[in-house]
Amino acid sequence: MTSDLTPDPLALPWVRIGAYAIVTDDAGRILLCRIAPGYPAAGKWTLPGGGVDHGEHPDDAVLRELGEETGLTGRRGPVARIWSGRIEKPMSRPGPLHWVAIIYRVDADPGELRLEVGGSTDACEWVALDDAAALDHVDMVAGALELVRAERAG
């Protein structure tokens, strides 16, 4: 219980670190996952990835999340970008949230996609870049598409 002088710890500002993968294939497609019902941005497409567990290194988290959400294994490449933002009233708890997303380039091993069961995503697909741009997606996907197009043009 808190007194009038002691703030509710859940109402304090907090930080969430995520690790996400930009995965492309030889056919020029990008791997995307759809956010499951009940999660913020449900129904939108995102990159494979998610929260870094307490004590886990983001380098490991990105490959764990890739496996959980798609069934694929892979090799982590360099950090492609770091995104950061604030949400004043997040759904998960009252305090303002500062989120940091570390975006890696990842080379996936060949394999069949597998849907995550009971997790934060309910679909995963290889999507052509132009088709991906037309999907209802989170901003992180737009940034990933820009990076992939720049790599191919450069």
Side-chain angles (χ1 to χ4, degrees), residues 86-136:
R86 289 179 47 98
I87 301 173
E88 289 304 317
K89 295 184 186 271
M91 293 175 59
S92 53
R93 65 188 235 201
L97 165 65
H98 174 201
W99 57 266
V100 178
I102 304 167
I103 315 297
Y104 293 87
R105 267 316 233 136
V106 172
D107 292 319
D109 297 324
E112 295 294 319
L113 293 178
R114 172 192 47 77
L115 298 180
E116 182 178 31
V117 176
S120 61
T121 62
D122 64 0
C124 58
E125 291 182 21
W126 289 104
V127 183
L129 297 183
D130 289 340
D131 294 340
L135 291 174
D136 187 15

Side-chain angles (χ1 to χ4, degrees), residues 21-150:
I22 297 174
V23 184
T24 54
D25 67 6
D26 293 337
R29 302 176 299 176
I30 189 167
L31 184 58
L32 298 178
C33 297
R34 188 177 60 208
I35 300 169
Y39 288 87
K44 291 189 176 198
W45 291 87
T46 189
L47 299 174
V52 175
D53 292 338
H54 181 80
E56 182 180 35
H57 196 287
D59 289 357
D60 300 324
V62 69
L63 297 178
R64 174 185 53 76
E65 286 283 346
L66 178 68
E68 287 176 5
E69 293 185 353
T70 70
L72 298 178
T73 58
R75 290 164 310 291
R76 179 187 38 79
V79 171
R81 187 170 186 180
I82 296 176
W83 287 49
S84 178
R86 289 179 47 98
I87 301 173
E88 289 304 317
K89 295 184 186 271
M91 293 175 59
S92 53
R93 65 188 235 201
L97 165 65
H98 174 201
W99 57 266
V100 178
I102 304 167
I103 315 297
Y104 293 87
R105 267 316 233 136
V106 172
D107 292 319
D109 297 324
E112 295 294 319
L113 293 178
R114 172 192 47 77
L115 298 180
E116 182 178 31
V117 176
S120 61
T121 62
D122 64 0
C124 58
E125 291 182 21
W126 289 104
V127 183
L129 297 183
D130 289 340
D131 294 340
L135 291 174
D136 187 15
H137 57 72
V138 298
D139 291 343
M140 192 167 31
V141 171
L145 293 172
E146 288 175 17
L147 286 169
V148 170
R149 286 187 176 114

